[in-house]
Amino acid sequence: MEFNRVQELALQHGTPVLFLSEGRARESYRNLSAALPGVDLYYAVKSNAQPELISMLDGEGSFFDVCSNGEIDVLKGLGISASRCIHTHPIKRDGDIRYALDYGLTIFVVDNEDELAKFIPYKDSAELLIRMSIQNPGCLVNLSQKFGVAPEKTYDLIKKAHGMGLRVKGISFHAGSQNENPLKYIEALEYCKDVCGKAALAGIDIEVIDIGGGFPISYLTQVLPMAAFCQPIVDYLSRYFTSYRIIAEPGRVLSGPAMTLAAKVIGRSYRNGAWWYYLDEGLYGSFSGKMFDHADYPMFLTRPGERQNSVLAGPTCDSIDVLYENISLPPLEIGDILVFESMGAYTVASSSNFNGFPKAKLVVVE
Ligand SMILES: Cc1ncc(COP(=O)(O)O)c(C=O)c1O
């Protein structure tokens, strides 16, 4: 959003404030759909569960990926049909499985034998995606550290599930979040091809390949346009996977660009050779993504002047609540508005009210 417009709206609504741009979210959805033709997009609700964003994606025809009863409740509240949802948490309690089944959701992700056993009572209604791990230590968040069965053990787990009378619908993987290397998807698809071949020989019919999320967005550096990023994936799918239903679980790429944050300087102090500026938003709020998601956000300000060594800190009393140290800023005044872009993914989702500071308010803009 244009700085002056954000500043004007921030003064009107008060800070800290997150602006949700429906136009940007819609554009991101359409971009990714066009870049991945024929792939059904299940928006990963965890990246940002704001009902306004979910409703907008619903209107675009999106499907949804949920991981908890709370996320199911958000979709239920919006009247979204369970037939358009999958449950992708590899570890679930029996009650979680029943909660999802009661909603009407029938597709679940599993990555180990104990989890398979949990589905025996529900084998007539549940269908399983077996999650394969794809190591990607080079990306922002390596999601295969905690979940996924090793590629070389994936077929064994499928065979085991089949032997237990469970319905294996497909294979899923997550190539790592903010993954800037499209070849990681190809590496994963190579493994899938091998596993599907073995399963077919054993008479096990794999119908779905779930290529997960991970699609990157521009933060401080530009990433490839989505069409170029996805081209190798599309080429590979059209060569080897034409007879499968392909789905994806994008989170960040849809929610990230959709939000802009405006925060205000509420105090300042010269300490140990640097100007400290205290904002009304910090690590315990919308900047929680700096901590949990390891993300950094483009910052905009308009004040002119000679730049000095500065620190930007959040409002809470905790000394960990510091956003940037050793940055070079012009002299800021109390009341100045700072604007941060690409603030929609894993930000408000993990923010808290620590120290009694309310979460940033949300304002929907076109
Ligand atoms: C199972 C699963 N699917 C999808 C996503 C969304 O990933 P991204 O936001 O990188 O697209 C995540 C992120 O944690 C995930 O764990």
Side-chain angles (χ1 to χ4, degrees):
M1 279 168 76
E2 201 215 323
F3 187 90
N4 287 345
R5 171 93 179 114
V6 179
Q7 197 170 32
E8 192 185 302
L9 286 170
L11 291 173
Q12 185 185 328
H13 293 281
T15 57
V17 56
L18 280 161
F19 297 107
L20 167 63
S21 160
E22 293 196 317
R24 266 203 202 160
R26 198 173 293 121
E27 185 186 321
S28 302
Y29 183 86
R30 291 181 185 176
N31 251 341
L32 186 63
S33 292
L36 289 172
V39 177
D40 288 331
L41 304 181
Y42 285 73
Y43 171 61
V45 171
K46 66 176 77 60
S47 75
N48 187 327
Q50 286 294 327
E52 295 86 348
L53 175 62
I54 292 173
S55 288
M56 200 283 306
L57 292 171
D58 182 35
E60 287 294 303
S62 181
F63 296 81
F64 296 93
D65 147 19
V66 292
C67 284
S68 65
N69 299 351
E71 289 183 357
I72 287 176
D73 288 344
V74 174
L75 299 187
K76 247 192 213 171
L78 295 169
I80 291 171
S81 159
S83 64
R84 291 174 52 216
C85 304
I86 52 174
H87 195 296
T88 65
H89 201 311
I91 305 292
K92 297 158 286 301
R93 294 161 295 193
D94 178 63
D96 301 329
I97 299 172
R98 276 192 280 116
Y99 197 81
L101 286 171
D102 285 348
Y103 171 43
L105 191 160
T106 55
I107 302 178
F108 296 85
V109 166
V110 168
D111 72 356
N112 67 75
E113 288 189 27
D114 285 322
E115 203 69 12
L116 288 183
K118 294 181 190 172
F119 281 91
I120 292 173
Y122 313 110
K123 62 182 171 193
D124 293 333
S125 34
E127 298 177 297
L128 306 179
L129 301 177
I130 304 297
R131 174 149 166 195
M132 181 193 277
S133 70
I134 296 298
Q135 296 304 331
N136 190 357
C139 68
L140 205 59
V141 189
N142 178 8
L143 286 164
S144 289
Q145 184 73 15
K146 187 167 169 183
F147 298 120
V149 56
E152 60 279 10
K153 299 209 168 116
T154 302
Y155 171 64
D156 290 342
L157 195 60
I158 290 175
K159 210 168 56 173
K160 182 105 198 170
H162 189 67
M164 290 161 79
L166 302 172
R167 279 194 274 169
V168 179
K169 195 169 182 71
I171 306 171
S172 76
F173 60 83
H174 196 301
S177 197
Q178 183 70 5
N179 165 34
E180 296 189 34
N181 177 9
L183 298 183
K184 272 284 155 194
Y185 293 86
I186 307 300
E187 179 187 324
L189 287 168
E190 287 269 355
Y191 288 126
C192 290
K193 180 157 74 73
D194 182 48
V195 173
C196 287
K198 286 184 183 148
L201 285 176
I204 306 170
D205 192 18
I206 302 289
E207 292 166 42
V208 172
I209 303 293
D210 176 352
I211 65 173
F215 306 94
I217 61 170
S218 297
Y219 285 109
L220 302 185
T221 55
Q222 286 292 315
V223 296
L224 281 177
M226 251 325 104
F229 181 87
C230 292
Q231 195 55 54
I233 307 171
V234 171
D235 290 345
Y236 196 90
L237 289 172
S238 62
R239 210 155 155 205
Y240 297 110
F241 286 95
T242 46
S243 53
Y244 294 81
R245 178 176 180 231
I246 311 295
I247 68 174
E249 303 164 11
R252 181 189 309 278
V253 70
L254 301 183
S255 58
M259 279 189 175
T260 301
L261 173 79
K264 194 191 280 175
V265 177
I266 54 168
R268 62 181 189 175
S269 160
Y270 192 74
R271 305 173 59 77
N272 305 323
W275 270 104
W276 280 63
Y277 298 106
Y278 303 88
L279 302 184
D280 55 6
E281 184 64 316
L283 276 193
Y284 286 95
S286 307
F287 287 103
S288 58
K290 269 182 79 69
M291 192 89 172
F292 297 120
D293 187 40
H294 318 292
D296 221 342
Y297 311 97
M299 175 172 72
F300 299 88
L301 46 87
T302 49
R303 191 166 282 284
E306 197 182 326
R307 292 186 169 249
Q308 303 164 353
N309 185 25
S310 309
V311 177
L312 274 188
T316 70
C317 296
D318 192 347
S319 53
I320 203 178
D321 189 8
V322 169
L323 303 176
Y324 300 96
E325 284 181 278
N326 291 319
I327 54 164
S328 166
L329 292 177
L332 301 180
E333 301 280 341
I334 292 174
D336 278 2
I337 303 275
L338 271 52
V339 173
F340 298 84
E341 290 289 359
S342 300
M343 288 289 295
Y346 308 108
T347 50
V348 60
S350 48
S351 64
S352 74
N353 294 321
F354 173 63
N355 223 177
F357 288 95
K359 296 183 188 182
K361 60 177 78 72
L362 181 88
V363 172
V364 179
V365 292
E366 220 343 288

